[in-house]
Amino acid sequence: MSSVQNVRFFSGENIPLEMHKVRVVQKLSLPPIERRLSAIREAGFNTFLLNTRDIYLDMLTDSGTNAMSDAQQGAMMQADDAYAGSQSFERMHAAVNEVFGKEYLLPAHQGRAAENIIAKSFIKPGNTIPMNYHFTTTLAHIDLNGGKIAELLYDDALRLHSDNPFKGNMDIAKLRATIAKEGAGNIGFIRMEASTNLIGGQPFSLANLKEVRKVADEYKLMLVLDASLIGENAFFIKQREAAYQKNSIGDILREMCAQADIVYFSARKVSSSRGGGICTNRKDLFDHMKVLVPVYEGFLTYGGISVREIESIAVGLRETLDENVIGQSPSFIDYLARQLDKAGVPVVMPPGGLGCHINAGEFLSHVPQEIYPAGALTAAFYIISGVRGMERGTMSSVRDENGNDVFADVELLRLAFPRRVFTLSQTKYVEDRLKWLYTKRDLIGGLRFVEEPPMLRFFMGRCEATSDWPEKLVQAFRADFGDSL
Ligand SMILES: *Cc1c(COP(=O)(O)O)cnc(C)c1O
């Protein structure tokens, strides 16, 4: 992939050229490695529990951390404060209508709140929810409502290094087999997630989504689209699916949403602020869900979102249609992933949306899943760089009824690229430190839980190192880098 804007370089290099300039900045600092070691220890080796004071680059997530545009900030100044009937909500409604092509909108305070309402409205105990792949909060809500999931990716989708452009596709034969096995009456709905988060931000193709729609029609099942990362998925469709290369991002987005009965999203990812929403063209579904919104979220015209944020969502959604906006993060991820791949560092290929994903299972092939290689790599990388990534592996998974870890299919360190936040030199710093760490990988050991919450344990769980490997890593860093930060 060349830079989003079609600018060719004399050197022949693929440099992701920014189509924005920086006008407001936030000061950063890089604490010395000894402080970083203490900080991660205080945080129980869980990067969620670090304070940004101790962080140089925060690549934990793109959730609520994208840079805002001047247009978004301008709109926020003109918000209409009202409990009911706010004009700000009208503007968000109009943007959803234009971008997603859906007439009815229910606001929710974030993506998981939308999942709560959908799960409570459409899942009966014992139901199965076929999906391409789960997301952590989705699984929690399905579980809380007595449902279970069936993950139906193609077998090769979990091969981390491949040239499969659409690893997020659903295996249609598996979908049919699941419906036959469970009976259509026991399927709550079919769920497709755009830019499949937990397998490395990997997209599905429009052709595949249309196949899923066909099966849904055949069995009169509802198709729910998790559109939290839909912009990136649309961008990849344009880049990678021959039939859509001439279409605009807007056309592709509407075509994707047209396949689904219900589209929901986390506005934390879509724009940069807070909030989320559920939209549909079916009044019966809207009426069925709307009764829950005042109970859990707030009145139907704010849903737990501040009016200022509602204004920024409206503008942010429309900005998603601009290829230079939506392509910024994927093109930086592409750059970093290819540099690492060239150097032999195990990285998820092809690069996806959301972040650069390091294959921790291979990076730390000597660390068994019982002692959490992805968690250990995430902590180790923070120690040696001050860069905060997120564990996406067995720590982000659950335990079975016997209390044993359900090993994750893939062990990943995710380095998120919030939109328009980091520069290329910062990206090169990440590349440099990862390459160094790879040469010292044998020093890294595992982690074990000392405090483990029963649900979504990765958020608040605390661990300790299985040996003195963190100290050894600090010594190796000092030996190679002297008094460098
Ligand atoms: C972030 C995310 C969610 C949950 O959204 P929140 O706003 O964080 O609650 C759901 N699905 C996907 C695919 C996401 O990336």
Short mmCIF file of all heavy atoms in Angstrom, two decimals, residues 435-462:
data_model
loop_
_atom_site.label_atom_id
_atom_site.label_comp_id
_atom_site.label_asym_id
_atom_site.label_seq_id
_atom_site.Cartn_x
_atom_site.Cartn_y
_atom_site.Cartn_z
N LYS A 435 12.71 -4.11 17.72
CA LYS A 435 13.79 -4.89 17.10
C LYS A 435 14.84 -5.25 18.15
O LYS A 435 15.35 -6.37 18.17
CB LYS A 435 14.44 -4.09 15.96
CG LYS A 435 13.60 -4.02 14.70
CD LYS A 435 14.35 -3.19 13.65
CE LYS A 435 13.58 -3.09 12.35
NZ LYS A 435 14.18 -2.08 11.46
N TRP A 436 15.15 -4.31 19.04
CA TRP A 436 16.12 -4.61 20.10
C TRP A 436 15.58 -5.69 21.02
O TRP A 436 16.27 -6.65 21.34
CB TRP A 436 16.44 -3.33 20.91
CG TRP A 436 17.43 -3.64 22.02
CD1 TRP A 436 18.77 -3.76 21.90
CD2 TRP A 436 17.12 -3.91 23.40
NE1 TRP A 436 19.34 -4.09 23.12
CE2 TRP A 436 18.34 -4.19 24.05
CE3 TRP A 436 15.93 -3.95 24.13
CZ2 TRP A 436 18.41 -4.49 25.42
CZ3 TRP A 436 16.00 -4.26 25.49
CH2 TRP A 436 17.24 -4.53 26.11
N LEU A 437 14.32 -5.52 21.42
CA LEU A 437 13.74 -6.49 22.36
C LEU A 437 13.74 -7.90 21.77
O LEU A 437 13.94 -8.88 22.47
CB LEU A 437 12.31 -6.07 22.74
CG LEU A 437 11.65 -6.89 23.87
CD1 LEU A 437 12.45 -6.77 25.17
CD2 LEU A 437 10.21 -6.44 24.11
N TYR A 438 13.54 -7.96 20.45
CA TYR A 438 13.52 -9.27 19.82
C TYR A 438 14.87 -9.98 19.97
O TYR A 438 14.92 -11.19 20.15
CB TYR A 438 13.14 -9.13 18.33
CG TYR A 438 12.83 -10.46 17.69
CD1 TYR A 438 11.84 -11.30 18.21
CD2 TYR A 438 13.52 -10.89 16.55
CE1 TYR A 438 11.56 -12.53 17.62
CE2 TYR A 438 13.24 -12.11 15.96
CZ TYR A 438 12.26 -12.93 16.50
OH TYR A 438 11.97 -14.15 15.93
N THR A 439 15.95 -9.19 19.96
CA THR A 439 17.27 -9.81 20.13
C THR A 439 17.48 -10.27 21.58
O THR A 439 18.37 -11.07 21.85
CB THR A 439 18.42 -8.84 19.76
OG1 THR A 439 18.46 -7.79 20.74
CG2 THR A 439 18.24 -8.25 18.38
N LYS A 440 16.68 -9.76 22.51
CA LYS A 440 16.83 -10.13 23.92
C LYS A 440 15.67 -10.99 24.41
O LYS A 440 15.43 -11.11 25.60
CB LYS A 440 16.88 -8.85 24.79
CG LYS A 440 17.98 -7.90 24.46
CD LYS A 440 19.35 -8.49 24.81
CE LYS A 440 20.44 -7.57 24.29
NZ LYS A 440 21.75 -8.22 24.22
N ARG A 441 14.90 -11.55 23.46
CA ARG A 441 13.66 -12.22 23.85
C ARG A 441 13.85 -13.36 24.83
O ARG A 441 12.99 -13.64 25.66
CB ARG A 441 12.91 -12.71 22.61
CG ARG A 441 13.69 -13.71 21.74
CD ARG A 441 12.95 -13.94 20.43
NE ARG A 441 13.62 -14.87 19.55
CZ ARG A 441 14.62 -14.56 18.73
NH1 ARG A 441 15.09 -13.31 18.71
NH2 ARG A 441 15.16 -15.46 17.93
N ASP A 442 15.03 -14.02 24.76
CA ASP A 442 15.25 -15.16 25.65
C ASP A 442 15.27 -14.76 27.12
O ASP A 442 15.08 -15.61 28.00
CB ASP A 442 16.58 -15.85 25.30
CG ASP A 442 16.51 -16.52 23.93
OD1 ASP A 442 15.37 -16.70 23.44
OD2 ASP A 442 17.57 -16.84 23.36
N LEU A 443 15.50 -13.48 27.38
CA LEU A 443 15.54 -13.02 28.78
C LEU A 443 14.14 -12.97 29.40
O LEU A 443 13.99 -12.97 30.61
CB LEU A 443 16.13 -11.60 28.85
CG LEU A 443 17.61 -11.43 28.53
CD1 LEU A 443 17.98 -9.95 28.59
CD2 LEU A 443 18.46 -12.25 29.50
N ILE A 444 13.11 -12.87 28.55
CA ILE A 444 11.75 -12.61 29.06
C ILE A 444 11.10 -13.90 29.54
O ILE A 444 11.13 -14.92 28.87
CB ILE A 444 10.87 -11.96 27.95
CG1 ILE A 444 11.54 -10.67 27.44
CG2 ILE A 444 9.47 -11.64 28.49
CD1 ILE A 444 10.85 -10.06 26.22
N GLY A 445 10.53 -13.84 30.76
CA GLY A 445 9.81 -14.98 31.32
C GLY A 445 8.32 -14.72 31.33
O GLY A 445 7.81 -13.91 30.54
N GLY A 446 7.61 -15.37 32.27
CA GLY A 446 6.15 -15.26 32.26
C GLY A 446 5.59 -14.45 33.41
O GLY A 446 6.31 -13.78 34.15
N LEU A 447 4.26 -14.49 33.52
CA LEU A 447 3.53 -13.79 34.58
C LEU A 447 2.56 -14.77 35.23
O LEU A 447 2.14 -15.75 34.61
CB LEU A 447 2.71 -12.62 34.00
CG LEU A 447 3.47 -11.48 33.31
CD1 LEU A 447 2.46 -10.48 32.74
CD2 LEU A 447 4.42 -10.78 34.27
N ARG A 448 2.22 -14.51 36.50
CA ARG A 448 1.12 -15.27 37.11
C ARG A 448 0.21 -14.30 37.87
O ARG A 448 0.66 -13.29 38.40
CB ARG A 448 1.66 -16.38 38.02
CG ARG A 448 2.33 -15.93 39.30
CD ARG A 448 2.66 -17.12 40.21
NE ARG A 448 3.89 -17.80 39.84
CZ ARG A 448 5.11 -17.45 40.27
NH1 ARG A 448 5.27 -16.43 41.09
NH2 ARG A 448 6.18 -18.13 39.89
N PHE A 449 -1.09 -14.62 37.92
CA PHE A 449 -2.05 -13.75 38.60
C PHE A 449 -1.84 -13.80 40.11
O PHE A 449 -1.63 -14.87 40.68
CB PHE A 449 -3.49 -14.19 38.31
CG PHE A 449 -4.05 -13.61 37.05
CD1 PHE A 449 -4.18 -14.39 35.90
CD2 PHE A 449 -4.45 -12.28 37.00
CE1 PHE A 449 -4.70 -13.85 34.72
CE2 PHE A 449 -4.98 -11.73 35.84
CZ PHE A 449 -5.10 -12.51 34.70
N VAL A 450 -1.90 -12.64 40.75
CA VAL A 450 -1.96 -12.61 42.21
C VAL A 450 -3.34 -12.08 42.66
O VAL A 450 -3.73 -12.25 43.81
CB VAL A 450 -0.82 -11.77 42.85
CG1 VAL A 450 0.52 -12.48 42.66
CG2 VAL A 450 -0.75 -10.37 42.27
N GLU A 451 -4.03 -11.41 41.75
CA GLU A 451 -5.39 -10.92 42.02
C GLU A 451 -6.15 -11.08 40.71
O GLU A 451 -5.73 -10.53 39.70
CB GLU A 451 -5.34 -9.43 42.32
CG GLU A 451 -5.55 -9.05 43.77
CD GLU A 451 -5.49 -7.53 43.89
OE1 GLU A 451 -6.44 -6.85 43.44
OE2 GLU A 451 -4.47 -7.04 44.41
N GLU A 452 -7.26 -11.83 40.73
CA GLU A 452 -7.92 -12.14 39.46
C GLU A 452 -9.43 -11.96 39.56
O GLU A 452 -10.12 -12.80 40.12
CB GLU A 452 -7.58 -13.57 39.04
CG GLU A 452 -8.04 -13.88 37.65
CD GLU A 452 -7.74 -15.32 37.22
OE1 GLU A 452 -6.82 -15.95 37.77
OE2 GLU A 452 -8.47 -15.80 36.34
N PRO A 453 -9.96 -10.86 39.00
CA PRO A 453 -11.41 -10.64 39.02
C PRO A 453 -12.13 -11.73 38.22
O PRO A 453 -11.56 -12.26 37.26
CB PRO A 453 -11.59 -9.28 38.35
CG PRO A 453 -10.23 -8.67 38.33
CD PRO A 453 -9.25 -9.79 38.31
N PRO A 454 -13.38 -12.07 38.58
CA PRO A 454 -14.10 -13.16 37.90
C PRO A 454 -14.55 -12.81 36.48
O PRO A 454 -14.80 -13.71 35.69
CB PRO A 454 -15.32 -13.41 38.81
CG PRO A 454 -15.50 -12.13 39.57
CD PRO A 454 -14.15 -11.52 39.72
N MET A 455 -14.70 -11.53 36.16
CA MET A 455 -15.12 -11.15 34.79
C MET A 455 -14.16 -10.11 34.23
O MET A 455 -13.69 -9.25 34.97
CB MET A 455 -16.51 -10.50 34.83
CG MET A 455 -17.65 -11.49 34.85
SD MET A 455 -19.18 -10.64 34.50
CE MET A 455 -19.19 -10.71 32.73
N LEU A 456 -13.96 -10.15 32.91
CA LEU A 456 -13.10 -9.18 32.23
C LEU A 456 -11.85 -8.92 33.07
O LEU A 456 -11.50 -7.79 33.39
CB LEU A 456 -13.89 -7.87 31.97
CG LEU A 456 -15.09 -7.99 31.01
CD1 LEU A 456 -15.88 -6.70 30.95
CD2 LEU A 456 -14.69 -8.41 29.59
N ARG A 457 -11.18 -10.01 33.42
CA ARG A 457 -10.07 -9.95 34.39
C ARG A 457 -8.90 -9.10 33.91
O ARG A 457 -8.13 -8.58 34.71
CB ARG A 457 -9.56 -11.36 34.68
CG ARG A 457 -9.02 -12.08 33.44
CD ARG A 457 -8.56 -13.47 33.77
NE ARG A 457 -8.04 -14.14 32.58
CZ ARG A 457 -7.52 -15.36 32.59
NH1 ARG A 457 -7.47 -16.05 33.72
NH2 ARG A 457 -7.06 -15.91 31.49
N PHE A 458 -8.79 -8.95 32.57
CA PHE A 458 -7.63 -8.23 32.05
C PHE A 458 -7.65 -6.75 32.43
O PHE A 458 -6.62 -6.11 32.49
CB PHE A 458 -7.57 -8.38 30.52
CG PHE A 458 -8.77 -7.83 29.80
CD1 PHE A 458 -8.81 -6.52 29.39
CD2 PHE A 458 -9.88 -8.64 29.54
CE1 PHE A 458 -9.92 -6.01 28.73
CE2 PHE A 458 -10.99 -8.14 28.88
CZ PHE A 458 -11.01 -6.81 28.48
N PHE A 459 -8.85 -6.21 32.72
CA PHE A 459 -8.91 -4.79 33.07
C PHE A 459 -8.25 -4.51 34.42
O PHE A 459 -7.52 -3.55 34.58
CB PHE A 459 -10.37 -4.31 33.14
CG PHE A 459 -10.98 -4.00 31.80
CD1 PHE A 459 -12.24 -4.50 31.47
CD2 PHE A 459 -10.33 -3.19 30.88
CE1 PHE A 459 -12.83 -4.21 30.25
CE2 PHE A 459 -10.91 -2.89 29.66
CZ PHE A 459 -12.16 -3.40 29.34
N MET A 460 -8.56 -5.34 35.42
CA MET A 460 -8.14 -4.98 36.78
C MET A 460 -7.28 -6.02 37.48
O MET A 460 -6.88 -5.82 38.63
CB MET A 460 -9.38 -4.67 37.62
CG MET A 460 -10.05 -3.37 37.17
SD MET A 460 -11.57 -3.01 38.02
CE MET A 460 -12.55 -4.46 37.78
N GLY A 461 -7.02 -7.14 36.80
CA GLY A 461 -6.21 -8.19 37.42
C GLY A 461 -4.78 -7.73 37.68
O GLY A 461 -4.26 -6.84 37.00
N ARG A 462 -4.15 -8.32 38.69
CA ARG A 462 -2.75 -7.99 39.00
C ARG A 462 -1.91 -9.26 38.95
O ARG A 462 -2.35 -10.33 39.35
CB ARG A 462 -2.65 -7.37 40.40
CG ARG A 462 -3.55 -6.16 40.59
CD ARG A 462 -3.35 -5.56 41.97
NE ARG A 462 -2.19 -4.69 41.98
CZ ARG A 462 -2.25 -3.40 41.66
NH1 ARG A 462 -3.39 -2.83 41.36
NH2 ARG A 462 -1.15 -2.67 41.70
#
